[in-house]
């Protein structure tokens, strides 16, 4: 993977998707300072453009919608790890996910990438969104569904994700502290 800097005018949806596909599941769901740095160097300007609603037109086609999901939901979790900015574009990612799913764009991408249209719901601190995620993940198989249920159960129990408390400046309850200290989900 290269770490060249790319400005938003030259970044295209296929650039984002190709980078993500090349990285693969081992990078998607693990913590790696090198991967985070490469992702940030390559796509931070595109993330900011998407957050400022300058890339809304990408939602017209499946690869563009997928790129928006990556830039607004996945990118901040890597580029701004352990900060409040990790979650800053979650509502926008959910908004675009709703629109993309309503248009059937999620069904136009490879099954292995489809989950990225549904993860904004899994990342929501909202039980209705969590239940929606489970319904969307069911056809994708046991592993995706397992993580969706885990996230939903945390929201059902606490109404929020306790591992976010420090980054968001929230007080951690005793029950949340015990959950985290006993190996509860840490993001």
């Amino acid at each position: 993977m290269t770490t060249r800097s790319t400005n938003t005018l030259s970044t295209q949806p296929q650039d984002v998707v190709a980078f993500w596909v090349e990285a693969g599941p081992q990078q998607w769901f693990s913590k790696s300072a090198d991967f985070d740095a490469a992702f940030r160097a390559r796509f931070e300007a595109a993330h900011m453009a998407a957050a400022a609603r300058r890339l809304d037109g990408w939602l017209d086609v499946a690869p563009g919608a997928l790129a928006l999901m990556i830039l607004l939901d996945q990118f901040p979790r890597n580029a701004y790890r352990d900060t409040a900015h990790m979650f800053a574009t979650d509502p926008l990612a959910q908004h675009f996910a709703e629109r993309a799913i309503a248009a059937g764009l999620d069904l136009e991408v490879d099954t292995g990438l489809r989950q990225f249209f549904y993860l904004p719901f899994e990342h929501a601190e909202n039980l209705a969104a969590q239940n929606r995620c489970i319904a969307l993940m069911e056809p994708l198989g046991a592993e995706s569904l397992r993580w969706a249920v885990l996230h939903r159960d945390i929201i059902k129990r606490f109404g929020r994700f306790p591992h976010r408390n420090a980054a968001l400046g929230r007080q951690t309850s005793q029950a949340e502290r015990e959950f985290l200290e006993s190996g509860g989900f840490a993001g």
Side-chain angles (χ1 to χ4, degrees), residues 13-14 16-25 28-29 62-63 65-67 69-70 74 105-120 137 140 144:
Q14 60 269 23
V16 177
V17 173
F19 177 89
W20 198 246
V21 168
E22 181 183 323
W28 298 343
F29 303 118
L66 177 58
M69 296 300 97
I70 294 166
Q74 296 300 302
L105 298 176
D106 57 319
L107 302 177
E108 293 181 27
V109 302
D110 179 83
T111 304
L113 296 172
R114 199 169 295 161
Q115 65 187 315
F116 296 104
F117 286 95
Y118 311 149
L119 285 174
M137 290 289 197
L140 300 184
S144 295

Side-chain angles (χ1 to χ4, degrees), residues 2 10 13 32 45-46 55 74 77 82 101 110 116 123 133 139 174 186:
T2 61
S10 66
S32 165
L55 302 180
Q74 296 300 302
R77 285 168 166 72
D82 301 321
I101 292 166
D110 179 83
F116 296 104
H123 295 147
C133 180
Q174 183 62 35

Side-chain angles (χ1 to χ4, degrees), residues 4-17 19 38-58 63-76 79-80 85 89 92 96:
R4 68 180 171 82
S5 181
T6 305
N7 70 42
T8 58
L9 297 176
S10 66
T11 299
Q12 297 298 309
Q14 60 269 23
D15 300 327
V16 177
V17 173
F19 177 89
F39 199 8
R40 186 172 39 257
R42 181 106 185 252
F43 296 110
E44 187 168 38
H47 162 76
M48 292 298 181
R53 307 289 304 265
R54 292 195 310 266
L55 302 180
D56 286 17
W58 286 14
L66 177 58
L68 284 171
M69 296 300 97
I70 294 166
L71 288 174
L72 294 170
D73 186 66
Q74 296 300 302
F75 177 88
Y80 308 115
H85 193 91
T89 54
L92 187 55
F96 282 133

